[in-house]
Amino acid sequence: MTVLIPVLGDQLSQSLASLRNVDSGKAIVLLMEVWDEATYVRHHKKKIAFIFSAMRHFGDDLQASGWRVDYVKLDDPANTQSFTGEVLRAAKRHKATSIRTVAGSEYRVLQAQRAWAAEVGIPCDILDDDRFICSLEEFSHWAKGRKTLRMEYFYREMRMKTGLLMNPDDTPVGGQWNFDHDNRDKPASGLNYPTPERFDPDPVTKDVLGLVQQRFGDHFGDLEPFVLPVTRDQALKALDEFISTSLSDFGRYQDAMMTGQDYLYHSRLSLCLNTGLLSPIEVCKAAAHAYEQGDAPINSVEGFIRQIIGWREYMRGMYWRDMPQFASRNALAAHRPLPELFWTGNTDMNCLAQSIGQTRKEAYAHHIQRLMILGNFALLAGLNPQEVSDWFLVVYFDAFEWVELPNVIGMSQFADGGKIASKPYVGSGAYIKRMSDYCGSCHFDVKQKTGPNACPFNTLYWDFLARHETRFSHNPRMKNMYATWYRFSEERQRDYRSSASTFLDTLTPASSGWAGKP
Ligand code: FAD
Ligand code: DLZ
Ligand code: SF4
């Protein structure tokens, strides 16, 4: 009797369901580097390097804990380069009598796993991924019968379920569920921004860097410097460092953007969370502990915990509720091709150039850069949401479809018709000027409303509202915006729209191939 336990690249946790309650003497853990996964979109080089290095270190850790590990490297000549091919081959090699695996986090992968039993000809047990706080069943139960599925109500349930920041009488600590109104400070110069810890590559990572440069050298993004945490110990260090240097100011400056400060007070823990190096509950407990010790204020700790037990869990629930249709939703009928500038960063719009430049360098941008610079621009410009989604899937180190797609198609592009967001996240140049230092060194003038030097966000903003008047003018949360639009003279309205149109004509569509999809 040999049980084969395939562990995927985002399941790198020794407490994974498939590794529990198994006799390790009768099991083989299979880790596989496969071309199919590395190229279903042409991921950022840093992301591939991170995954391979974290997988290789995880394989070593498992072995040190007494597991028999079969690790298939990308350049193994016998590698079939697909999950299914490798499971089939390993099942034969080890004369496996059954397969035990945790459900893939993405729809595409789960479909493949469901076919394994038939293809290999032995039983295949697919276990729920219980690294999440809310099971998919529990999410369906919460969603059942509700007219709208807003995150805020889901989040309160998760607070009660976990007991995080809760008083013994089931009321929220601090007397409120949400402290977001305290979390809108502008960036400030002269602040002592923390410098993220650098994890210098060890020989395992150096090997991977060579491989990635050789095999994926034409993918988007800079491979080096590579200083990401790749082991559980390093991830725990990164968590400690965030809690001690950044958490207390996380809330205040959560929405701020500043040139040269890629991370500000953000945690950068998304890739460790999404790949299993850290668990969401341990991260939230560490933050709650800092609050209890008086080391971080409630607005920061509540805001941080909400992102994880609220947004992160909610996005996963929404993804699985609506897949596979979710991926092709385009409620606003947006068809403009993705412009080349998303790949090159060559644009006179400084906010876009900064955010894309940083993305190329770090495979990271923080939430407001993704939502209110890149996503906002894509939405206002009417870019095709599927092309936008593919771009996001390629460029960020934390991009896995279950979390990327609902954030892009739902939250950012309103392409789900408003299931996730009650109104589109759009803003003019005034918002970007308020929350960043980008406008000061921009070719465009954020104060100009129309004409060739006007900030494109200003003209595109009004053009978007005019384009979608029928859909949004009755939305109670957008009434004030439309009231302003209706106060403009017809001539002014025409000026806005023609300036927007002139700008949109300057966008060159991306040459095909960057994302890697046909
Ligand atoms: P912090 O600001 O420190 O937040 C802490 C943690 O909260 C994050 O690590 C993350 O796990 C969680 N979190 C915060 N916001 C969200 C959210 N909206 N959805 C899910 N989790 C959240 N996140 C991804 O993990 N993968 C993606 O592919 C991804 N794509 C995005 C695309 C768009 C258009 C937008 C608007 C957001 C996207 N996000 C994605 C959510 C969020 O931007 C990132 O999780 C965050 O920027 C990661 O950086 P951080 O770890 O420093 O986060
Ligand atoms: C992202 C990624 C990449 C680039 N390569 C691999 C790989 O070679 N082997 C692997 O097991 N996982 C990889 N991953 C992560 C997977 O895409 C992720 O585990 C699945 O999408 C889960 O649904
Ligand atoms: Fe961006 Fe407009 Fe500011 Fe330039 S002026 S940085 S385009 S918001």
Side-chain angles (χ1 to χ4, degrees), residues 226-238:
F226 184 93
V227 291
L228 297 171
V230 289
T231 63
R232 164 98 179 135
D233 284 351
Q234 291 181 342
L236 285 169
K237 254 184 147 182

Side-chain angles (χ1 to χ4, degrees), residues 47 242 250 254 262-263 265-274 280 283 303-316 364-372 374-376 388-389 391-394 396-409 411-413 425:
K47 178 181 174 188
F242 165 71
F250 172 86
Q254 200 178 342
D262 299 342
Y263 301 107
Y265 297 96
H266 290 271
S267 72
R268 314 174 297 277
L269 293 176
S270 49
L271 88 168
C272 296
L273 283 164
N274 294 352
V283 170
F304 180 71
I305 287 178
R306 176 161 23 93
Q307 307 310 315
I308 296 178
I309 67 170
W311 280 112
R312 186 170 184 273
E313 298 281 329
Y314 168 83
M315 288 304 192
R316 175 178 181 247
Y364 178 89
H366 74 63
H367 187 67
I368 294 302
Q369 293 172 304
R370 298 187 203 196
L371 186 65
M372 295 309 295
L374 300 157
N376 184 16
V388 175
S389 176
W391 183 82
F392 274 95
L393 197 54
V394 166
Y396 291 113
F397 61 32
D398 53 26
F400 294 86
E401 194 189 68
W402 66 267
V403 54
E404 173 278 329
L405 196 129
N407 267 297
V408 176
I409 299 283
M411 180 188 244
S412 159
Q413 299 302 294
Y425 281 95

Side-chain angles (χ1 to χ4, degrees), residues 145-329:
R146 284 175 192 261
K147 269 217 300 247
T148 55
L149 302 178
R150 295 289 168 241
M151 194 288 295
E152 190 62 32
Y153 298 106
F154 169 77
Y155 163 57
R156 292 179 192 182
E157 303 243 343
M158 291 302 107
R159 285 275 294 279
M160 290 192 268
K161 177 176 177 178
T162 56
L164 286 163
L165 302 181
M166 294 299 293
N167 294 314
D169 65 353
D170 275 355
T171 56
V173 165
Q176 284 164 224
W177 292 102
N178 180 318
F179 288 82
D180 243 2
H181 56 80
D182 297 337
N183 289 351
R184 305 261 151 79
D185 278 20
K186 296 172 195 171
S189 48
L191 277 178
N192 211 1
Y193 293 110
T195 326
E197 174 144 9
R198 299 163 61 93
F199 298 97
D200 288 326
D202 65 0
V204 173
T205 302
K206 281 184 185 154
D207 252 19
V208 165
L209 294 177
L211 174 77
V212 172
Q213 188 51 46
Q214 189 199 355
R215 303 294 300 276
F216 307 100
D218 60 345
H219 281 211
F220 176 80
D222 297 351
L223 180 58
E224 298 196 63
F226 184 93
V227 291
L228 297 171
V230 289
T231 63
R232 164 98 179 135
D233 284 351
Q234 291 181 342
L236 285 169
K237 254 184 147 182
L239 170 61
D240 274 359
E241 185 230 334
F242 165 71
I243 300 283
S244 59
T245 66
S246 305
L247 177 62
S248 56
D249 282 317
F250 172 86
R252 273 182 81 180
Y253 298 110
Q254 200 178 342
D255 290 1
M257 294 169 280
M258 189 135 189
T259 309
Q261 293 295 337
D262 299 342
Y263 301 107
L264 295 162
Y265 297 96
H266 290 271
S267 72
R268 314 174 297 277
L269 293 176
S270 49
L271 88 168
C272 296
L273 283 164
N274 294 352
T275 49
L277 296 185
L278 292 175
S279 84
I281 197 71
E282 74 183 333
V283 170
C284 291
K285 280 186 177 163
H289 182 70
Y291 169 71
E292 285 151 16
Q293 297 298 303
D295 293 338
I298 187 70
N299 63 305
S300 279
V301 176
E302 185 284 316
F304 180 71
I305 287 178
R306 176 161 23 93
Q307 307 310 315
I308 296 178
I309 67 170
W311 280 112
R312 186 170 184 273
E313 298 281 329
Y314 168 83
M315 288 304 192
R316 175 178 181 247
M318 294 300 277
Y319 171 79
W320 284 103
R321 258 179 89 72
D322 200 27
M323 278 304 279
Q325 301 83 341
F326 207 160
S328 51
R329 299 236 179 256

Side-chain angles (χ1 to χ4, degrees), residues 464-474 482 485-486:
F464 173 87
L465 291 183
R467 248 179 17 245
H468 297 293
E469 184 181 356
T470 317
R471 179 182 280 269
F472 293 128
S473 58
H474 301 294
Y482 278 98
W485 173 247
Y486 295 137

